[in-house]
Amino acid sequence: MPYEYDEQNIFAKILRREIPNDTVMETDFTLAFRDIAPQAPEHILVIPKGFYMNYDHFAAEATDPEILDFTRVIGAITHAIGVTPGNGGKGYRLIANAGHDGVQDVPHLHMHILAGRRLGRMIQPI
Ligand code: AMP
């Protein structure tokens, strides 16, 4: 089933500048801003400007320049906030929730960058 993008989702409104955001980095294809309810000292969301609902939608339909830029922006941010292990940083976590089981709340692809404290195990044991 093809994806049906909801243009009223909150990140679409951020991209249209209908609601404010705390921008960290912006390029032609990508916007990164601080999460409104941070779960770590550093909690940044990176979104493509194109209307992709989740990662598999993006991987299937985004252009190569969009995918390259999204990836590079994530790398640039982890470098800029000083968390890259290769440069002596303490590390970080990337999360892209998708769909029901992924517990995705906002149906526009977003990569969470979480850092600034020890983050615990990857998922809660059940
Ligand atoms: P997810 O559950 O993966 O869809 O994550 C959605 C994230 O968007 C949550 O961490 C929210 O705190 C965050 N969020 C929701 N509205 C806003 C907003 N207006 N500005 C920044 N972050 C937001």
Side-chain angles (χ1 to χ4, degrees):
M1 189 177 78
Y3 285 116
E4 291 182 16
Y5 184 84
D6 170 16
E7 293 186 356
Q8 294 310 312
N9 81 75
I10 194 114
F11 294 168
K13 291 179 181 179
I14 285 176
L15 287 168
R16 290 195 298 268
R17 311 296 182 201
E18 292 170 8
I19 60 173
N21 74 92
D22 186 359
T23 298
V24 173
M25 195 172 288
E26 181 168 11
T27 66
D28 287 348
F29 296 116
T30 308
L31 178 67
F33 52 93
R34 295 200 174 277
D35 196 291
I36 203 166
Q39 296 184 42
E42 298 282 5
H43 190 169
I44 296 164
L45 302 174
V46 185
I47 69 172
K49 291 184 174 178
F51 297 149
Y52 304 107
M53 293 182 65
N54 55 35
Y55 197 85
D56 70 84
H57 189 197
F58 184 68
E61 296 190 14
T63 64
D64 288 358
E66 287 177 306
I67 293 170
L68 180 64
D69 190 69
F70 186 72
T71 303
R72 294 280 194 219
V73 165
I74 293 167
I77 291 169
T78 57
H79 191 268
I81 64 176
V83 298
T84 50
N87 295 318
K90 287 191 164 180
Y92 58 92
R93 182 169 296 159
L94 303 179
I95 299 174
N97 296 319
H100 178 269
D101 281 3
V103 195
Q104 180 181 10
D105 290 328
V106 181
H108 181 114
L109 170 62
H110 47 286
M111 188 71 78
H112 297 256
I113 302 175
L114 295 150
R117 68 168 170 81
R118 185 130 170 105
L119 294 164
R121 301 297 299 177
M122 191 162 61
I123 61 172
Q124 295 292 325
I126 51 174

